[in-house]
């Protein structure tokens, strides 16, 4: 960890060094040389506010008093504060001339080639060194500022990413809340309605009525909460444990509906697919939501649930048989998993559960299917029923041995 010197120290220490240089070179006896050197040292106190002016004031110090520290420190400050190339070149030339030309000027001997060459080299180093060091320090400061800015930008990007993850999780929770809670509460309301009709005891009927009212109120509040939670984000990887295709018979058994279930797909339809768990979970949610809608809008209707395997090219269609599905799976295309929930017209004699709906169920199912690369169709049927059909991608089929 770097330790930064106090501000007063970085201002006073150069002045002290310049004063010491003036006293060592010119002694302590007052005179023109010492006075000019001390003025140059004192001028360094203003070097940050007036770098160029201070540099010009220090030039007589090196010309007359032969001090180096004051003009070199002043030139270093000019390089840090005013990094203009033409200005720095002109300043370096002035310092080199002040260093090279003797005082008084009449003492200059053009024929002293060796001495003049050494003096010229010293003058060049004296003028170029402070500029190089000043530019290096300035570049380092700019790089440090840039790194700090990038760090802040990275921190801001991390915060945005965290907010996006939270939004996505909120949307996922909204979908799961609607799929799970609405399904279970609708079952409670349906069972309470059955007790309300069949129970002879008045207390039991009153309790069933209360349970049904609470279920309806809970679904109504759930609809509003789902609308808020679904306002942000999409859907990414979900948490476990999650339902799968093997849980469909249990779901249908608990639905309290007249359901015919048919499963017609090969074991390898989901093998080799990285999102196979998501596909199974989507099938489960589609069936769950469809059964919930049947209880809401078509009480007493017969329901047919079919999960089958089809070929992406279109074989194994709506009316396909098990043999047709098998032939499609043996094709060269990619297998698809098709789920179809079809219900007939509602029974006019059955009591409607009067469950509220927010319209989020089918929207969420369609989003699930699209995120997995599939499609979902939901439409009424001519006989008064309703059809929900989804097609989800499976795996590329493996070659099958010909049947005898």
């Amino acid at each position: 960890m770097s330790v930064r010197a106090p501000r007063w120290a970085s201002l006073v220490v150069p002045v002290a060094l310049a004063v010491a240089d003036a006293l060592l070179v010119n002694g302590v006896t007052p005179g023109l040389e010492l006075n000019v050197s001390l003025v140059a040292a004192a001028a360094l106190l203003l070097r940050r506010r007036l770098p160029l002016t201070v540099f010009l004031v220090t030039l007589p110090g090196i010309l007359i008093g032969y001090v180096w520290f004051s003009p070199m420190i002043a030139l270093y400050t000019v390089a840090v504060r005013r990094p203009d190339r033409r200005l720095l070149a002109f300043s370096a030339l002035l310092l080199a001339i002040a260093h090279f030309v003797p005082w008084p000027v009449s003492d200059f001997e053009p024929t002293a080639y060796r001495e003049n060459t050494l003096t010229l080299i010293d003058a060049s180093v004296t003028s170029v060194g402070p500029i190089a060091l000043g530019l290096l320090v300035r570049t380092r400061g700019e790089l440090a500022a840039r790194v700090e800015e990038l760090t802040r930008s990275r921190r801001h990007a991390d915060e945005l990413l965290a907010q996006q993850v939270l939004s996505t999780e909120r949307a996922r929770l909204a979908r799961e809340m609607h799929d799970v809670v609405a399904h279970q509460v609708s079952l409670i309301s349906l069972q309470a309605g059955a007790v309300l009709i069949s129970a002879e005891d008045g207390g039991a009927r009153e309790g069933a009525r209360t349970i049904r009212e609470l279920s309806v109120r809970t679904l109504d509040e759930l609809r509003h909460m789902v609308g808020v939670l679904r306002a942000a984000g999409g859907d990414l990887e979900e948490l476990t444990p999650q339902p799968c295709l093997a849980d469909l018979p249990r779901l249908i058994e608990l639905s309290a509906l007249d359901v015919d279930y048919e499963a017609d797909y090969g074991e390898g339809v989901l093998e080799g697919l990285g999102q196979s768990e998501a596909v199974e979970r989507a099938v489960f949610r589609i069936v769950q939501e469809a059964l919930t809608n049947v209880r809401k809008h078509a009480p007493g209707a017969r329901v047919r649930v079919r999960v089958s395997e089809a070929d992406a090219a279109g074989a194994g269609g709506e009316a396909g048989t098990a043999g047709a599905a098998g032939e499609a799976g043996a094709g060269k295309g990619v297998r698809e998993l098709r789920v179809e929930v079809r219900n007939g017209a509602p029974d006019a004699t059955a009591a409607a559960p009067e469950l509220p709906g927010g319209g989020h169920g089918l929207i969420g199912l369609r989003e699930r299917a699209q995120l997995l690369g599939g499609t979902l169709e939901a439409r009424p049927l001519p006989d008064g029923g309703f059809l929900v059909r989804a097609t989800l991608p499976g795996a590329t089929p493996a070659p099958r041995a010909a049947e005898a």
Side-chain angles (χ1 to χ4, degrees):
M1 182 177 63
S2 61
V3 180
R4 304 185 66 175
R7 183 178 178 83
W8 63 266
S10 61
L11 186 63
V12 172
V13 170
V15 176
L17 292 176
V19 171
D21 183 30
L23 295 176
L24 289 175
V25 174
N26 300 290
V28 296
T29 304
L32 179 60
E33 293 82 359
L34 180 60
N35 294 337
V36 171
S37 301
L38 292 178
V39 169
L44 294 179
L45 294 173
L46 302 175
R47 63 189 178 92
R48 291 178 176 174
R49 293 185 179 181
L50 304 170
L52 185 58
T53 303
V54 170
F55 170 69
L56 295 177
V57 171
T58 60
L59 288 179
I62 192 172
L63 177 63
I64 300 175
Y66 296 101
V67 291
W68 286 14
F69 280 6
S70 296
M72 291 179 68
I73 294 174
L75 184 57
Y76 161 83
T77 306
V78 172
V80 173
R81 300 279 176 165
R82 305 282 182 82
D84 182 79
R85 293 184 178 181
R86 291 177 295 180
L87 177 61
L88 293 179
F90 181 70
S91 300
L93 179 61
L94 288 180
L95 182 58
I97 293 174
H99 188 129
F100 180 76
V101 176
W103 182 261
V105 181
S106 58
D107 293 342
F108 179 70
E109 297 182 4
T111 57
Y113 301 112
R114 182 175 181 277
E115 183 177 351
N116 291 339
T117 301
L118 293 176
T119 305
L120 182 60
I121 294 175
D122 291 341
S124 300
V125 174
T126 303
S127 59
V128 173
I131 293 178
L133 182 60
L135 292 178
L136 177 63
V137 171
R138 180 182 178 85
T139 302
R140 182 179 181 275
E142 291 176 349
L143 290 176
R146 180 60 176 168
V147 169
E148 184 178 357
E149 180 182 356
L150 291 176
T151 302
R152 288 197 301 266
S153 300
R154 179 64 179 273
R155 189 181 301 113
H156 181 63
D158 292 341
E159 293 175 357
L160 293 179
L161 179 60
Q163 293 176 2
Q164 183 179 2
V165 171
L166 290 176
S167 298
T168 302
E169 184 65 12
R170 288 176 61 189
R172 189 197 65 81
L173 289 176
R175 181 173 288 114
E176 293 302 314
M177 182 184 299
H178 185 276
D179 292 345
V180 178
V181 179
H183 179 75
Q184 301 297 336
V185 174
S186 62
L187 280 177
I188 295 173
S189 177
L190 187 64
Q191 297 294 339
V195 174
L196 182 62
I197 295 174
S198 61
E200 298 180 357
D201 182 65
R205 288 198 300 271
E206 184 63 26
R209 182 179 294 106
T210 302
I211 293 175
R212 188 174 183 182
E213 292 177 355
L214 290 175
S215 300
V216 173
R217 188 182 308 167
T218 299
L219 285 177
D220 191 37
E221 294 178 356
L222 176 63
R223 176 174 60 85
H224 292 289
M225 287 189 294
V226 166
V228 174
L229 290 175
R230 286 177 59 87
D235 188 25
L236 293 176
E237 296 181 0
E238 307 194 29
L239 302 178
T240 54
Q242 294 292 330
C244 59
L245 292 178
D247 298 318
L248 281 179
R250 179 61 177 170
L251 173 68
I252 294 173
E253 180 183 353
L254 295 176
S255 66
L257 297 173
D258 186 5
V259 181
D260 293 330
Y261 175 58
E262 180 183 353
D264 182 20
Y265 54 88
E267 296 182 357
V269 66
L270 297 174
E271 291 181 359
L273 187 67
Q275 56 182 7
S276 60
E277 293 182 1
V279 171
E280 293 192 49
R281 188 161 56 248
V283 171
F284 183 92
R285 296 305 184 200
I286 290 170
V287 175
Q288 186 182 59
E289 177 65 21
L291 294 180
T292 301
N293 290 337
V294 170
R295 283 193 296 271
K296 290 181 181 179
H297 308 295
R302 292 181 58 85
V303 185
R304 179 172 179 264
V305 177
R306 185 171 188 266
V307 181
S308 60
E309 176 184 345
D311 185 15
E318 177 181 346
T321 61
E327 293 175 2
K332 296 182 179 180
V334 176
R335 296 183 190 178
E336 292 179 341
L337 193 64
R338 178 170 298 171
V339 54
E340 179 180 294
V341 181
R342 181 194 300 264
N343 64 272
D347 187 353
T349 62
E354 299 179 358
L355 298 175
H360 299 297
L362 292 178
I363 295 176
L365 296 183
R366 186 170 287 107
E367 290 177 356
R368 274 185 188 271
Q370 291 175 352
L371 287 171
L372 294 173
T375 59
L376 184 134
E377 174 189 7
R379 58 181 173 86
L381 297 175
D383 60 357
F386 200 83
L387 171 67
V388 176
R389 180 190 294 133
T391 303
L392 302 172
T396 302
R400 295 183 179 179
E403 297 181 357

